Amino acid sequence: MKTRFIPLLAVLALVAGSNHALAAADEKLKAAAEQEKAPLIETLRDMVMIESGSSDVEGLKKMADFTEGRLKALGAATERRKTTAGVGADMVIATFKGSGTRKLMLIAHMDTVYQRGILASEPYHVDGTKIFGPGIADDKGGIAVVLHALKILKDAGWKDYATLTVSFNPDEEVGSIGSGEIIAELADQHDVVLSCEPTAASPPAKNDSLLLGASGTATGIMKVKGRASHAGAAPDRGRNALIELSHQLLQTQDVAKSIPGTQLNWTTAKAGTVRNQIPEDAEAGADIRLTIPDGIAKLQAAIDAKLKTRLVPDTETTVNIVAGRPPFVASDRGRALAQEGQAIYAEIDRKLDIVEMTGGATDAGYANRSGKAIVVESFGLAGFGYHARDEFIDTNSIVPRLYLMSRMLIEQGKKK
């Protein structure tokens, strides 16, 4: 593989935060990105108006129809591949054939965290340079960058690649439970994978960024078995599973703090069915994040040791940890690719940060699992408020992100 070296003075300029470009911008490409800004905003509006929560089969089908139609219009051969688990929605996989030697892949996701009807309380609207809407940043902005960067490159006649694959999946927000293995398999067939989750647009972020690390995920399930009895007439005959659950949650809430590279937060709980019965069963769920390969085993051992201490006699507590999405930790080749992105941003007098790690999980973990492809995350638009109210994108990021994606694909296509 041919390596692109960045001159020492250029590196020093980046480190110093210089506003001087490393090289002249590709003015034709920049102008094309500026021309695509308004069409990209229209694409965003069309997609936001399609409610596509991870369990909304109808909405996900509309998103798949929309994106597949756009990819076909760009000249791709498309495939709808059924996910292997979950609600049964489709992935959209598009393939472009070029005249070069490199195999490039772009990934983003069509689903959002929001339930059907969210647009009634969180409508699409514009406020200055911010455009608000459910899922507009995470990850419909990423899809828009892919579609419009490919339009720019198509108009320019760019074909310097062997294969360019686009994968849009419908279940990222629920752990890619039915698409993760497919993403991993596809990624292993490519040289480079650019994942298009958003970059942060609000403090503490000062600049747009690319991401080199994201936590893996797991789910913790705590179950307590007690004994039922009449809550009014014979409470002492029962063994209160709810009280024991509370005790064990408090015992284990900080267990991950002693295991670097792990994070555990208990987030759900349920117990009992009626008011006048001592609850026999209780259950809690935990969100677990991991950046180390043996994190699950270490957490399990630490939790099991805590569970030996009971508060309520004759109760039994178990915790089962189920692995989810693998962690994403970029390789040295990924870091070098991100540094190329910094040089590209400097061409248009903008600074691009490199973020080492985030607690959020992404499909870059699946793409990077084997280490065969070079993977970098966060090529989507700058946005904020994802998974919350008032999610938005910053329109000032549209032209720079289109320029970055287009130039990055051109540069990667040149390599041998």
Side-chain angles (χ1 to χ4, degrees), residues 200-213:
S202 290
K206 294 181 180 179
N207 307 291
D208 294 349
S209 64
L210 293 175
L211 179 64
L212 296 183

Side-chain angles (χ1 to χ4, degrees), residues 335-373:
R335 183 176 298 277
L337 190 148
Q339 289 169 346
E340 290 187 40
Q342 287 183 312
I344 288 170
Y345 244 46
E347 293 173 1
I348 54 174
D349 294 318
R350 288 178 68 100
K351 192 173 187 300
L352 185 69
D353 291 336
I354 293 178
V355 176
E356 297 293 331
M357 179 62 63
T358 178
T362 85
D363 285 333
Y366 281 111
N368 193 62
R369 189 172 65 184
S370 73
K372 292 181 180 179

Side-chain angles (χ1 to χ4, degrees), residues 254-264 289-292 294-303:
D254 293 327
V255 70
K257 292 182 179 179
S258 63
I259 307 171
T262 70
Q263 176 180 296
L264 178 146
R289 305 287 163 147
L290 308 147
T291 59
I292 56 174
D294 57 349
I296 289 178
K298 288 182 176 180
L299 273 177
Q300 187 74 65
I303 290 171

Side-chain angles (χ1 to χ4, degrees), residues 220-224 245 248-249 252 266 282-284 307 317-319:
I221 303 171
M222 178 183 288
K223 292 185 177 182
V224 178
L245 179 74
Q248 297 295 355
L249 293 179
T252 58
W266 295 106
E283 181 176 320
L307 298 183
T317 303
T318 59
V319 171

